[in-house]
Amino acid sequence: MVAMAPRPGPNDVRRARVLLPFAVLGACGAGLLAGKLASSTHPLLGFGLVALLVPAAVWKWSEAGVYLLLGITTMIEQFTYSAGTHPGVFTMKIPLYGGVTKGGGVSLLDLLIGLVFVFWLMRAILDRSSWEAPRSPVTRGLLIYLGLVVLAVGVGMSHGGKSQVILYEIRPWFYLAMAYVLAGSLLRRRASLRGLMWVFVIGTGFKALQGLQMYIAVRHEPVRPEVILGHEESFFFGLFLILTISLWLFGVRGRLRTVATWLAPAVLFADMANARRTAWAIIGTTLLVMVCITYSSLPERRRTLRRLMVILVGISAVYFPLFWSKAGLFAQPARSLHSMIAPDARDKSSNLYRVQENANLAFNIRKTASLGKGFGPLIEYALPITDISKIDAFIAFLPHNSVLDLWMRLGIQGVVVFLLLMAAIVVRGCALARSGDWELAVLGVLAACAVVAYLVQGYNDMGFFWFRIALFFGAFVGAMEAAHRVVARGQAPAATPASE
């Protein structure tokens, strides 16, 4: 229709020729999807009808693709689970991360990421001004790291690794990279970056409310289940609290801070009810990092920070002795610390397994060449360890300690490049926090704290493997790079804390 207009310009004809193949493929795909949904009896597949509107939204609003990726990341579980005899929340039944076809390696998430990426490339072809891929030390470090990941794929295949296992192991790294590029390129305005924080607050708040509903459903069971949500929620809940506190410390007023503050008690309650020990390690370390960055960036807040730290120490001096040997909802922070110093039988068994697993990973690291074992080959459990393969069949490929696993797969050079990449993100985040634009400074604090949470989750609980965490981490690091561009362009900053 554009090409056949009464007076089409050269750009109109070129745009029509570029868009026509994608329009035809999109129409065919939409028809096949509609037929699949119509023939299915699974009620949740009815949500797929809404997906027909996704391409139009992503094309019309460039930020929509990033928002959608972050929204599903915070709200839809990667794996199904149960809380005792009670099934998990309904969102875990949405088949987002599994194959589109039985035995297929392409998931609905892959299709969505591909759609957003193709639309980004199309916009770059039609309008060169939209090509704004992030350029920074973080980008260069990420490219070098991905090169080592590709090298490790070749090493793993030469050692007999299976292609299906390799693709499963490397997916989080490419999810992270894609989310970084898309967020860093498509979020060009201050309003877009604010919208990303809105999506995070709403998505995580929704998950916290699901946690409250689950807690109410299982709290009267004879044996109350210890966990009610997925592993990844510890990561999201901890960073939600960091975002909320940062909005107050940096004096960013508005509805975002109001909504986050109202949802914060529900997030904290759901985090306690979920009873993940890693959650409190994440909260403790990220709070320390946030205080250090804020103390350096906001001299006018230093007295307030010192008072808050004194109050926190005073509360801790009363809380930990009082709840040290107790169980229950409000004893979870104390239980987390108690399990490391004087663990009970269950925690001692879990701690022993982690020690045995780490010893075996160290054995594999010493046995491999400088290039590492590569992705795909089995972990050699030569030292004594409890066999949990009947509970988790994939434990032979993916151990709990993702840091040592990364060392084993990529070799020492892979770990060095990875840690340098994390350091570059922290430096860029701290620079943004000191930029003087306090609304965007919150993104810098969040990105730096996300690095710490990412490493804590990775060291303790497969954090580098969870697809949701990889997408979230990549999106917010990309948003941090986009915020640096906004600051460089001199867009009007928000009010400073001194004006409050």
Side-chain angles (χ1 to χ4, degrees):
M1 290 177 66
V2 172
M4 292 186 297
R7 294 180 180 179
N11 292 334
D12 294 328
V13 175
R14 180 165 58 90
R15 185 181 298 110
R17 288 175 178 173
V18 171
L19 292 178
L20 182 60
F22 294 100
V24 172
L25 291 174
C28 293
L32 291 173
L33 178 60
K36 178 72 175 177
L37 294 174
S39 63
S40 174
T41 58
H42 198 296
L44 284 176
L45 288 181
F47 287 109
L49 291 173
V50 182
L52 297 175
L53 302 175
V54 169
V58 172
W59 178 256
K60 185 171 180 61
W61 300 286
S62 58
E63 309 96 330
V66 180
Y67 293 166
L68 185 58
L69 286 174
L70 183 65
I72 62 179
T73 293
T74 54
M75 290 191 285
I76 301 178
E77 284 75 11
Q78 182 175 343
F79 297 109
T80 58
Y81 71 98
S82 60
T85 59
H86 197 282
V89 294
F90 77 91
T91 47
M92 73 173 184
K93 299 178 182 178
I94 300 176
L96 180 68
Y97 302 95
V100 176
T101 59
K102 188 175 182 180
V106 179
S107 66
L108 291 175
L109 177 63
D110 297 330
L111 294 178
L112 177 59
I113 294 175
L115 174 72
V116 179
F117 185 74
V118 168
F119 278 14
W120 172 60
L121 291 179
M122 291 170 62
R123 284 181 174 274
I125 294 172
L126 297 175
D127 182 8
R128 293 188 179 275
S129 64
S130 66
W131 183 273
E132 290 187 318
R135 300 175 183 179
S136 71
V138 174
T139 304
R140 292 189 287 272
L142 184 58
L143 287 174
I144 295 171
Y145 181 75
L146 289 179
L148 292 175
V149 169
V150 173
L151 177 62
V153 170
V155 173
M157 293 184 71
S158 68
H159 291 164
K162 296 181 180 179
S163 58
Q164 286 185 329
V165 175
I166 292 174
L167 290 174
Y168 205 59
E169 286 184 290
I170 66 173
R171 278 171 74 180
W173 302 118
F174 286 95
Y175 283 166
L176 189 156
M178 290 294 291
Y180 170 77
V181 170
L182 293 173
S185 304
L186 297 175
L187 303 177
R188 304 188 186 96
R189 301 175 296 117
R190 178 183 301 275
S192 302
L193 296 169
R194 189 182 302 122
L196 191 74
M197 290 190 281
W198 266 111
V199 173
F200 173 48
V201 166
I202 293 173
T204 308
F206 168 79
K207 189 57 62 178
L209 295 177
Q210 279 192 310
L212 293 179
Q213 179 264 326
M214 281 292 297
Y215 175 77
I216 293 171
V218 304
R219 65 191 179 97
H220 292 305
E221 290 192 3
V223 180
R224 185 183 299 175
E226 293 188 353
V227 296
I228 58 174
L229 294 170
H231 290 79
E232 308 96 310
E233 312 313 334
S234 301
F235 179 86
F236 297 128
F237 289 164
L239 291 178
F240 181 97
L241 297 174
I242 292 296
L243 173 63
T244 305
I245 298 172
S246 297
L247 289 171
W248 281 96
L249 288 176
F250 282 87
V252 182
R253 292 179 173 178
R255 293 179 180 177
L256 177 64
R257 188 175 77 175
T258 302
V259 173
T261 303
W262 278 104
L263 288 173
V267 170
L268 184 60
F269 186 92
D271 213 8
M272 289 190 291
N274 203 27
R276 304 280 185 181
R277 290 189 292 172
T278 306
W280 306 106
I282 289 174
I283 290 177
T285 53
T286 52
L287 275 175
L288 180 61
V289 171
M290 183 203 67
V291 168
C292 292
I293 295 175
T294 308
Y295 197 87
S296 174
S297 304
L298 300 176
E300 61 272 23
R301 294 291 198 209
R302 289 176 181 174
R303 179 179 296 180
T304 301
L305 286 171
R306 288 194 292 266
R307 290 175 179 174
L308 290 176
M309 292 303 296
V310 170
I311 293 172
L312 182 61
V313 170
I315 294 174
S316 300
V318 175
Y319 168 80
F320 282 100
L322 186 63
F323 288 91
W324 185 252
S325 299
K326 295 183 180 180
L329 183 68
F330 295 102
Q332 290 306 313
R335 175 186 172 276
S336 177
L337 184 60
H338 184 272
S339 67
M340 294 186 291
I341 299 175
D344 57 20
R346 179 189 177 280
D347 291 331
K348 186 179 294 185
S349 174
S350 177
N351 294 345
L352 176 62
Y353 180 84
R354 305 299 176 95
V355 171
Q356 293 173 335
E357 186 180 57
N358 290 345
N360 277 279
L361 290 172
F363 171 82
N364 281 262
I365 290 170
R366 289 192 295 268
K367 192 175 179 180
T368 55
S370 59
L371 292 178
K373 199 182 191 80
F375 291 106
L378 290 164
I379 301 171
E380 184 180 351
Y381 288 102
L383 304 178
I385 188 172
T386 305
D387 184 10
I388 64 170
S389 58
K390 293 181 179 179
I391 302 174
D392 183 3
F394 221 67
I395 198 68
F397 299 98
L398 289 168
H400 290 85
N401 192 325
S402 295
V403 176
L404 292 182
D405 180 61
L406 188 69
W407 190 345
M408 179 186 69
R409 300 295 181 187
L410 271 66
I412 185 63
Q413 67 278 354
V415 173
V416 170
V417 171
F418 175 76
L419 293 178
L420 288 175
L421 173 61
M422 296 297 107
I425 296 171
V426 172
V427 170
R428 294 283 285 175
C430 292
L432 185 60
R434 296 173 62 88
S435 65
D437 188 320
W438 306 124
E439 182 179 27
L440 299 184
V442 172
L443 271 176
V445 174
L446 193 64
C449 290
V451 169
V452 178
Y454 189 52
L455 292 173
V456 171
Q457 188 82 39
Y459 185 83
N460 290 283
D461 214 353
M462 298 182 182
F464 298 170
F465 168 70
W466 304 118
F467 299 164
R468 298 171 65 197
I469 290 178
L471 284 167
F472 175 93
F473 188 65
F476 268 90
V477 174
M480 177 195 70
E481 295 294 341
H484 274 286
R485 284 204 310 271
V486 171
V487 171
R489 289 171 183 167
Q491 292 187 18
T496 65
S499 66
E500 296 243 326

